Every structure is written in structure tokens, then in C-alpha cells.
């Protein structure tokens, strides 16, 4: 599934947010670039199932080292989605597979995460 242009994701920059369907329900997701690689996850904290960005598309902590949940401060490794600090230490964000080719970033559905079946409906 096309996600965005490569240039839309700067290293440690603003995320590109998108919606997917998880087990038939709409779920928010995001992609960031970290050390040159695109990483995408469901936008759902492993502590409480809530969206994590403190401003839309802002997921980095002050040091731009970890993905941070703005609610209680859980820190997640951007390479793995594993929580390294906070109330859900050891838990993980749900990753979404991505690939980048020819200046385009794509994501791949799996048995759990699918494209929205009706993107025009909330
Ligand atoms: S909801 Fe994310 S750390 Fe509590």
C-alpha cells in the first residue's frame, strides 16, 4: 500500500500518520524515519491503548532517541518498538512492515493489519 513519498519522512522528523484496519476496526498508525530506515507501528501505547503523539505526528522524545508516549512517558526503541522505560517496560508497539523504493514508501498488510475497507467513512 502506498504510504508517502520518501522525502516526506526526514530522519528523526515528523511522522506520517495513516489509518489501517485491525481485525476489521479502524486503527491509527504512524511511520517515522530513524537512522535512514522507515519504521511504522500502530499508534497505540502498550500501557493503555491510547494514541501516543503529544502533537499530531510528534513522537520523538526530547533527545530524539526514543519514540515517547505523551501520556505517561513510556519510551520505545524505534528499531524494535520495544518499551525500554516506563510503565509498560518490556512490552512492544505493534510493527507494520514497510519498504521504500524509487522515492516511495509503502506498507504491507498482514493477517492482522489491513487497508481500510472504506476510507471515506470514519
Ligand atoms: S498510556 Fe502510554 S505510557 Fe501510559
Amino acid at each position: 500500500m502506498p504510504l508517502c513519498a520518501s522525502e516526506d519522512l526526514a530522519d528523526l522528523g515528523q511522522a506520517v500518520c495513516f489509518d489501517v484496519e485491525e481485525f476489521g476496526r479502524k486503527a491509527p498508525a504512524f511511520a517515522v524515519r530513524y537512522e535512514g530506515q522507515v519504521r511504522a507501528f500502530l499508534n497505540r501505547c502498550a500501557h493503555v491503548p491510547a494514541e501516543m503523539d503529544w502533537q499530531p505526528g510528534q513522537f520523538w522524545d526530547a533527545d530524539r532517541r526514543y519514540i515517547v508516549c505523551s501520556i505517561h512517558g513510556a519510551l520505545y526503541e524505534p528499531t524494535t518498538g520495544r518499551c525500554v522505560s516506563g510503565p509498560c517496560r518490556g512490552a512492544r508497539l505493534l510493527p507494520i512492515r514497510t519498504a521504500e523504493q524509487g522515492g516511495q514508501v509503502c506498507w504491507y498488510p498482514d493477517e492482522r493489519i489491513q487497508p481500510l475497507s472504506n476510507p471515506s467513512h470514519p
Side-chain angles (χ1 to χ4, degrees), residues 5-89:
S6 292
E7 65 191 24
D8 293 341
L9 285 172
D11 215 65
L12 297 172
Q14 171 105 3
V16 169
C17 296
F18 60 109
D19 289 317
V20 298
E21 212 166 87
E22 181 194 27
F23 300 136
R25 289 178 169 228
K26 185 175 172 181
F30 68 100
V32 290
R33 189 182 296 280
Y34 178 75
E35 294 184 340
Q37 299 292 312
V38 176
R39 308 286 178 176
F41 301 95
L42 281 192
N43 184 2
R44 180 192 299 147
C45 188
H47 176 218
V48 173
E51 296 183 37
M52 303 185 297
D53 36 342
W54 49 277
Q55 296 266 332
Q58 301 289 338
F59 288 89
W60 297 110
D61 70 331
D63 296 335
R64 299 197 171 239
R65 168 70 188 85
Y66 295 105
I67 292 166
V68 63
C69 175
S70 63
I71 301 175
H72 308 110
L75 296 178
Y76 294 94
E77 281 181 340
T79 50
T80 63
R82 189 171 63 93
C83 179
V84 295
S85 172
C88 46
R89 190 184 180 102

